[in-house]
Every structure is written in structure tokens, then in C-alpha cells.
Amino acid sequence: MNARILALHGGLLALLLALHFLLPVYHHGNLARIMVLACYAIGYNLLFGYTGLLSLGHAMFFAAGMYGMGMPLYHLGLGAELAFLAGIAAAGGLALVVGLLALRTVGVAFMIVTLMFSQAFYLAILLAVRWTRGDEGLVLAGADRVLFGLDLTDPDIRYLLALGLFALCLSAALWLVRRPFGRVLVAIRENPERAELLGYDIFRHKLAAVVLSGLFSGAAGAAYGLMFGYVGASFAEVHFSIFPLLWVLLGGAGTVIGPFFGVLFMFYLIDISSGLTPAYMLVAGVALVLLTLFAPQGLVGEVRRRWLRWLP
């Protein structure tokens, strides 16, 4: 792999590690959340940015990971390690089923079908009150949030584990997109008919992309619930399917590190503007429109287009 690419991504991880020792408490906690959410955005980018499939229902995978982890932990007393794996498995299984059905459609129909599945999943959460506690959600006890002997109520441990998860997701995504599999996904995005003519199984590659995206998203959801102690239905709502789309567009679709910068930018844009005016969503909306007009390929996408064409 190109030394410049390794240096760039390794440098980002080294910077995040250094910030662990430098940031004040408030921003330290924010960055831990941002890194976990960036894993969710990386998973979405694999499907949208590299494969060209626009999903409006990705919140179901994030929530499946969260509830797949939270319910066994809360109701059955399962250990955090097994509960975390159960969350990832739940998201992967759901992604496989949704992919097998939704990939029978293309374009706008695919968007609508994924949105419908996501809404059905959200309603199932609200209706299964006995297990999910509906709108109230599940508050995970601090004593249960111990992973391999590490207490996740400790902000320092939480930050380092968030960094570890982000490093794993970032490295996996970088490896995937630079393998022949990743090249085929890009070929499908650019011209599916030509890719099929060359002998590639389009459906199988798209299904693999959906499942991998679901696994990334589910891991992020399980980690978020476990680290911050809450599993709620709000994470399955429509807006939580729109967020990863915005993060990826802002950071740069089809770039490996773009999703992280998209999450970082939008998180602090809303955080800062909400401290200035009650109409913070208007301020955020104007800023997003301006960024879309003047940097249509996103923050990292524009850097790649203008200066660093070797960026993956």
C-alpha cells in the first residue's frame, strides 16, 4: 500500500491519540462520540460512496446493533463481550435479509424500500414494549458496562476504546476499498452494465456491500449503546438515517477519511450554533447549503480533486 496513504491515516490516528491527553473534558467526551459515529458513517460510505446505493433506512442497522447488544445485556444478564458480538450479528443478519429483498429494486425504488424497512423496524421497537421499553428505551447499569475488565463509565477508557474501534473500522475500510473487491464496487457505481458485461456478479457484490455496511453500522450502534449507557428508539428514527448521508456528503463520498471529517464538522457546527441562537438549525442549514455549493465533493473530496489525487 502507498506509504503516503499509510502515513496520512496513521497520522490521523496518532493525532486522535495525542488529543486524548490534551483536550478538556467537554471536547474529550465529544470526540469519543464523534469517533463512534464516524464508524457508522464509514459503513454508510461503503454502500453509498463506493457502491452507489443510496439508502434511506440505515438507522435500522445502527439500532439493530444497539438493541441486539442492549436487550441481552439488560434482560438476560449476558456479559458485555457477548452482548457486543450479538449486536453486530443482529445488524449483519438484518442487513442480509434487507439486502436480499431490497436489491431486487434499483434507484429511487431502492431508497423507498430501505426507508420502509427502517420504519417497520422503528415501529417494531415501539410495539415490543416488554423487551425494548418503547420510547423510554433501556438505561444500562454501570456495573454491566464492563468490557474485558475495562469500566466503560470511565471517560479515559471510553475514549481509548472509541479510538480503537475507529482505528479498526478505518483500517478495514481502507483495506477493502483497495482490494479487487473494492475496485469492483467502484466499477458497479460508475457503470453497472459494463461491470456485468465484464463477468462480475453485480447482485453478489451489492449484497456483500449491504452486509458489510450493516456490520460496520451495527458495530457502531452496539458500541454507542455500551459506551454511553443508553439504548433508545430515537436512534432508529428517520433523521438518524439522514445523518450518515449528510456526514458522507460533507466529508466526501468515496473517500476513506471523509466520513470522519463530515461527522466532526456537522457535530460542532450544530454544537456551536446552538450556543449562539435558538434558530441553530437555520444556521446549520445555511452553512451546509454553502458548503454544498462551493465544495460539492465534500471537504476531503475537494482536497483530493484539487491537490491530493492519490487519496483513497
Side-chain angles (χ1 to χ4, degrees), residues 222-264:
Y224 198 93
L226 193 58
M227 289 181 186
F228 301 105
Y230 179 68
V231 175
S234 60
F235 293 104
E237 291 181 358
V238 173
H239 71 270
F240 223 76
S241 290
I242 303 300
F243 278 154
L245 173 60
L246 293 176
W247 295 333
V248 168
L249 289 174
L250 288 173
T255 63
V256 176
I257 61 173
F260 170 77
F261 288 101
V263 176
L264 181 69

Side-chain angles (χ1 to χ4, degrees), residues 12-13 16-17 35 158-168:
L12 173 61
L13 296 176
L16 291 171
L17 178 60
M35 286 189 287
R158 196 161 54 219
Y159 183 99
L160 292 174
L161 284 178
L163 176 57
L165 178 66
F166 175 66
L168 182 62

Side-chain angles (χ1 to χ4, degrees), residues 183-254:
R183 307 295 190 189
V184 174
L185 293 185
V186 174
I188 292 171
R189 179 193 70 193
E190 296 299 320
N191 195 322
E193 292 80 10
R194 182 172 294 179
E196 189 170 23
L197 188 63
L198 290 172
Y200 294 110
D201 189 332
I202 304 300
F203 182 84
R204 189 180 67 181
H205 279 83
K206 284 184 176 181
L207 180 61
V210 172
V211 173
L212 286 169
S213 183
L215 288 171
F216 276 75
S217 303
Y224 198 93
L226 193 58
M227 289 181 186
F228 301 105
Y230 179 68
V231 175
S234 60
F235 293 104
E237 291 181 358
V238 173
H239 71 270
F240 223 76
S241 290
I242 303 300
F243 278 154
L245 173 60
L246 293 176
W247 295 333
V248 168
L249 289 174
L250 288 173

Side-chain angles (χ1 to χ4, degrees), residues 103-180:
L103 287 173
R104 295 170 180 266
T105 63
V106 294
V108 175
F110 179 82
M111 294 164 50
I112 294 173
V113 169
T114 54
L115 177 61
M116 290 170 61
F117 274 119
S118 184
Q119 285 299 97
F121 188 81
Y122 171 62
L123 290 174
I125 291 173
L126 295 181
L127 292 173
V129 178
R130 178 182 175 185
W131 291 96
T132 64
R133 296 181 61 84
D135 279 329
E136 294 180 16
L138 306 174
V139 178
L140 305 180
D144 294 330
R145 294 162 55 204
V146 178
L147 190 68
F148 297 110
L150 300 173
D151 183 3
L152 296 181
T153 61
D154 185 324
D156 292 326
I157 291 175
R158 196 161 54 219
Y159 183 99
L160 292 174
L161 284 178
L163 176 57
L165 178 66
F166 175 66
L168 182 62
C169 290
L170 186 73
S171 302
L174 182 60
W175 181 80
L176 276 170
V177 302
R178 293 186 64 80
R179 300 292 296 172

Side-chain angles (χ1 to χ4, degrees), residues 2 5 8 14 16 34 37 56 67 69 91 98 103 116 132 148 160 202 208 242 247 274 295 302:
N2 192 304
I5 295 174
L8 175 66
L16 291 171
I34 287 167
L37 292 174
L56 293 180
Y67 277 93
M69 175 281 302
V98 170
L103 287 173
M116 290 170 61
T132 64
F148 297 110
L160 292 174
I202 304 300
I242 303 300
W247 295 333
S274 64
E302 286 297 317

